[in-house]
Amino acid sequence: MPSVINDNSLPSRSKLAEIDKSQVHERLPRLTPRRKAPPSQNPLPVPETPFLPSPPDHSNIIFHDPTRRILSPHDHELFQASPTFNLILSFVFSISEAGAGKKISAIQKPDVSEVSKHVLSILASIEDTVSQCPPADQAGSRFGNPSFRNFLDSISAQSSSWHSLLGLISRSAISEVSTYLCNSFGNRTRIDYGSGHELNFIIWLLCLNRLSLLPPSSFPALALLVFPQYVKLMRKIQSTYYLEPAGSHGVWGLDDYHFLPFLFGASQLLHHPYIRPLSIHNELILEEEGDEYLYLNMVRETMASKSVKGLKWTQPMLDDISGAKNWEKVEQGMRRMFVREVLGKLPVMQHFLFGSLVPAVEGMNREEEVGVKPEAEGKEGGEVAVEGNEVRHVHRDDAWGDCCGIKIPSTVAAKEEARRKGEEDGFRRIPFD
């Protein structure tokens, strides 16, 4: 049954005309203009570059072989609050700043110190050693090649003579400093490589800095010559011996092996006139500028090693970062990531080695006190915990693959095996892409 409306309840036209216009205005809902949502703020502050202290008095240094001291979450907390933590940050960020806004070709030979030239010579000798230690036939296996151990043995045998060329005389000093160099190319037992090994190379350079051999004036050469040469050398080692990515997936999606090239590379591209973060999807820019900028070089090499085309499938984090407004945002994000995802991750830093030049602090555990085997003898990856007098392996649920060192063959190995078999070198299509 239709409802009946009482006409007496409705105001007449004459009554409506009598209503003051101001009252009508007050009765209308207030319209507010749409405003853009404020940009999301990263709650994490951008890490600043701490002051780099002067090298210590060499006469007071008692050199000793570096050992692991981060054996528990408490040890890790002590490290993060220590002067050594700030020393590492200062050194890494200072090298990054030394290459800011500069091409690799911007460094001239007269600007390279003699010690930096010797460091480059050492890297060249290590590259020759790779050729002298060919990989063993593994019948098509894509896992780590055992000949990598022969390569490390050869490096260790030559290390003393290399450091003598750098000006080190004391045997104990050579033994301490060379430990970091020998651990810069991967793990002997697991035949893998990750950001912790890359950090060992930086600590090797830091030791030379603490011995007054690499002063701040040499930092541009370290950023633009030495470190790119190290990355190039590591690519040869990775492809020759099929080094497995440590932690199963590299540094959280940036690359299977490396992190610091993205920090140094983002610093290089600060204020570039035409290369933007989104330019990493432009193959022409990668081809033309990849030899001059570490960031572009890493993206180019990463794409070349994958069998699937598209960063959104292979390196989704790099794909997300390409949407940043400018390189300053990228560089700031890389600083945060280095602090949180490298120095701030216990599965990475539990392998870190402390000596006299990069000292531990009071209260941190010692390997011999808690019964932990030295790093060179450790077989199981992942995190250990010290509870009283017991040392046990910790299974982590917050990150797949960071726990037990699950063996994952590298994409570099897959590409090399395909090349050896003469298979067609092309990209696989992704359905619905």
Side-chain angles (χ1 to χ4, degrees):
M1 181 176 180
S3 60
V4 178
I5 300 176
N6 186 2
D7 293 341
N8 296 329
S9 63
L10 298 176
S12 63
R13 292 186 178 180
S14 59
K15 289 183 178 181
L16 287 175
E18 295 175 358
I19 299 177
D20 190 359
K21 293 183 178 180
S22 61
Q23 293 179 347
V24 175
H25 182 269
E26 291 176 357
R27 293 181 181 181
L28 291 175
R30 185 180 297 275
L31 299 178
T32 57
R34 292 184 179 178
R35 295 180 180 179
K36 292 183 178 180
S40 59
Q41 298 293 329
N42 195 320
L44 298 175
V46 179
E48 299 291 337
T49 303
F51 173 75
L52 182 65
S54 302
D57 184 358
H58 302 165
S59 62
N60 296 329
I61 299 177
I62 302 177
F63 296 101
H64 60 84
D65 290 343
T67 59
R68 289 187 297 173
R69 299 291 299 275
I70 301 178
L71 303 174
S72 69
H74 178 63
D75 294 335
H76 193 211
E77 292 172 1
L78 291 175
F79 163 70
Q80 290 177 300
S82 70
T84 297
F85 180 85
N86 288 332
L87 175 64
I88 296 172
L89 274 190
S90 178
F91 187 69
V92 171
F93 290 167
S94 295
I95 291 177
S96 180
E97 292 170 357
K102 300 175 183 177
K103 294 182 177 182
I104 289 177
S105 60
I107 193 77
Q108 301 295 325
K109 288 186 178 181
D111 301 328
V112 183
S113 66
E114 288 301 317
V115 174
S116 297
K117 292 178 181 177
H118 283 312
V119 170
L120 291 170
S121 176
I122 290 173
L123 294 178
S125 298
I126 295 173
E127 186 173 0
D128 292 338
T129 304
V130 176
S131 303
Q132 297 166 9
C133 300
D137 184 10
Q138 296 192 115
S141 172
R142 294 182 293 170
F143 290 99
N145 195 294
S147 292
F148 176 66
R149 300 186 179 108
N150 298 333
F151 163 76
L152 291 182
D153 290 340
S154 181
I155 293 298
S156 180
Q158 301 175 75
S159 181
S160 295
S161 61
W162 290 337
H163 286 82
S164 297
L165 293 176
L166 292 172
L168 275 67
I169 301 175
S170 167
R171 288 187 178 181
S172 57
I174 291 176
S175 178
E176 177 175 337
V177 176
S178 64
T179 298
Y180 293 106
L181 178 64
C182 294
N183 282 275
S184 299
F185 307 104
N187 181 273
R188 175 188 177 87
T189 303
R190 297 184 293 272
I191 314 182
D192 64 7
Y193 177 92
S195 56
H197 304 103
E198 179 183 70
L199 183 60
N200 278 331
F201 181 76
I202 290 293
I203 300 302
W204 178 60
L205 299 178
L206 175 57
C207 288
L208 299 181
N209 169 264
R210 296 294 86 192
L211 293 173
S212 303
L213 296 175
L214 289 175
S217 59
S218 65
F219 288 1
L222 298 184
L224 302 176
L225 285 181
V226 173
F227 194 77
Q229 186 64 26
Y230 166 72
V231 173
K232 181 181 178 181
L233 169 63
M234 281 312 310
R235 288 202 188 107
K236 182 172 184 178
I237 295 173
Q238 291 154 6
S239 62
T240 300
Y241 302 113
Y242 295 176
L243 301 190
E244 299 162 19
S248 301
H249 57 271
V251 185
W252 293 266
L254 284 178
D255 181 79
D256 288 345
Y257 299 109
H258 296 280
F259 172 78
L260 287 176
F262 295 98
L263 171 61
F264 296 165
S267 182
Q268 275 187 282
L269 288 163
L270 287 174
H271 315 301
H272 196 281
Y274 63 87
I275 297 180
R276 300 289 183 264
L278 203 60
S279 299
I280 66 171
H281 300 284
N282 188 319
E283 295 184 5
L284 182 60
I285 289 181
L286 294 179
E287 183 64 28
E288 292 184 346
E289 303 288 356
D291 294 334
E292 292 286 2
Y293 297 99
L294 263 177
Y295 196 101
L296 303 181
N297 185 278
M298 292 300 298
V299 173
R300 185 178 67 183
E301 293 299 323
T302 296
M303 292 177 63
S305 67
K306 305 297 182 180
S307 59
V308 173
K309 187 173 183 179
L311 288 175
K312 65 179 179 180
W313 302 109
T314 59
Q315 253 72 30
M317 182 173 288
L318 278 179
D319 184 65
D320 290 343
I321 293 172
S322 68
K325 183 178 180 180
N326 50 50
W327 287 110
E328 183 179 5
K329 294 290 186 182
V330 177
E331 195 265 349
Q332 292 173 355
M334 293 300 168
R335 283 180 175 238
R336 292 189 184 99
M337 192 176 294
F338 178 69
V339 173
R340 283 184 57 115
E341 306 294 353
V342 179
L343 299 185
K345 287 291 185 179
L346 182 55
V348 176
M349 295 308 297
Q350 68 173 352
H351 302 289
F352 189 82
L353 302 173
F354 293 87
S356 63
L357 297 171
V358 186
V361 295
E362 288 296 327
M364 296 174 68
N365 286 292
R366 298 178 182 273
E367 292 177 336
E368 61 275 13
E369 292 176 353
V370 298
V372 176
K373 292 183 178 181
E375 170 70 7
E377 300 177 14
K379 293 184 178 181
E380 185 177 33
E383 180 181 337
V384 297
V386 179
E387 296 180 355
N389 295 325
E390 180 184 0
V391 180
R392 64 182 182 85
H393 174 67
V394 176
H395 292 277
R396 297 174 60 90
D397 298 325
D398 59 344
W400 179 81
D402 288 336
C403 171
C404 303
I406 302 171
K407 293 173 70 65
I408 300 292
S410 69
T411 57
V412 173
K415 186 177 181 65
E416 283 296 312
E417 283 300 317
R419 182 185 61 81
R420 291 182 180 183
K421 294 177 181 178
E423 296 178 357
E424 183 179 358
D425 186 13
F427 291 115
R428 291 188 290 110
R429 290 178 58 84
I430 295 294
F432 314 112
D433 181 26

